[in-house]
Amino acid sequence: MKKKWLFTPGPTPIPPEALLAMAQPIDYHRSEDTVALIKDVLEKLKHVFQTENDVLFLTSSGTGAMEGAVANLLSREDKVIVVRSGKFGERWGEICTAFGVEIIPIDVKWGNAVDPEAVETLLDEHRDVKAVYATLCETSTGVLHDIEALARLTRVRPTLLVVDAVSGLGADDLQMDNWGVDVVVSCAQKGLMTPPGLAVVALNGRAWDAVSHSDLPKYYFDFRKAYETGLEGSVPYTPAVTLLTALQCALTRICEEGIRSTIARHSRLAEATRSAVKALGFTLFAVSPANTVTSIQLPEEIDGKAFLKLMLDKYGITYAGGQSQLSGKIVRIAHLGWIDESDVIVAISAFERGLIEIGCDIPLGAGVTAAQEVFRAVRVG
């Protein structure tokens, strides 16, 4: 028997109680029970977002929330700054362009984080910029951006900060209220430990003011409709009720652990994984790595696609590969969601075995030892 292990930055492993909740008979989405379910989910999401602002959800992937954060905030004459440091930063620009919004890009070398001073320079040059679109964790590279620093720039200007926290929410710190972030978008299948199909959005007062003046077309992803019905424990259109039951279970788990402890757990898992990678003689691809996922630069002699196939076929292990120009050149090991120390040990030991299998000369066991040392040190501390 071969057990399967999932170490991708979405979808992520799902807690058993969430899986079992989806096996229950489906309820009518206008019933009293579903009204209570929706209200509970939206309240628990505030804890994860670290906000007192109301949160809304959409039946879509995270990209639906990203599109909504363009269509609902902007107008036809607006221009925005877009931080493009990977596949998903580029997606912000693509969505803005699709709606006819003028973008001022900041192109960052893949693997690096944006320099807040570069953003400040553009804000000073273009004082009429409506928003800065940025990413917490650039999932395609494993880079963590300094959102707190960006928020310091925008909160003293009439410029919104809109953050893609699709993979980073619940793993990397994002204090929406304390930092002054205007809009945060995310989804269910990453740190929220739920199957794909739900997106979540939080907006503060400045953002809602922009929503009230937006003239871009929107219908299904109309934030005002989602917000108004959400207050009543309802939705404008039929929701994915089974996914909401799973999300409620996952959020209960996070709230019981506490969001600060959840983030600390992800930080510990990430540190152990990075230490293991270095102990094996490999280089981290991300200059400022996130807690969400560790990206590993592969030597030229390793075919990354073939390696991933070997790991899945022989060991039942699914890592993520590189995207676009990084295809076949990096391996991404996620430590996100319903993951603990033992899972990380499995991920690293399998990584070592796979490398030996393809002929890499590595110190077998060095990665596992390094990871264990991190776990032991953290416990002692």
Side-chain angles (χ1 to χ4, degrees), residues 83-131:
V83 178
R84 304 193 300 195
S85 63
K87 189 71 173 176
F88 298 98
E90 291 178 352
R91 185 166 296 179
W92 274 133
E94 293 165 357
I95 295 171
C96 289
T97 299
F99 279 89
V101 173
E102 179 184 350
I103 70 167
I104 304 168
I106 298 180
D107 289 315
V108 181
K109 181 181 178 183
W110 284 34
N112 290 353
V114 68
D115 182 354
E117 291 186 1
V119 177
E120 184 176 25
T121 297
L122 282 184
L123 286 170
D124 289 339
E125 291 177 0
H126 303 274
R127 296 184 180 274
D128 57 343
V129 161
K130 183 65 171 291

Side-chain angles (χ1 to χ4, degrees), residues 38-48 51-52 54-55 255:
I38 291 173
K39 287 184 176 181
D40 186 54
V41 165
L42 294 179
E43 189 62 32
K44 284 183 167 67
L45 281 169
K46 292 182 182 181
H47 178 70
V48 180
T51 185
E52 293 300 320
D54 289 303
V55 183
C255 291

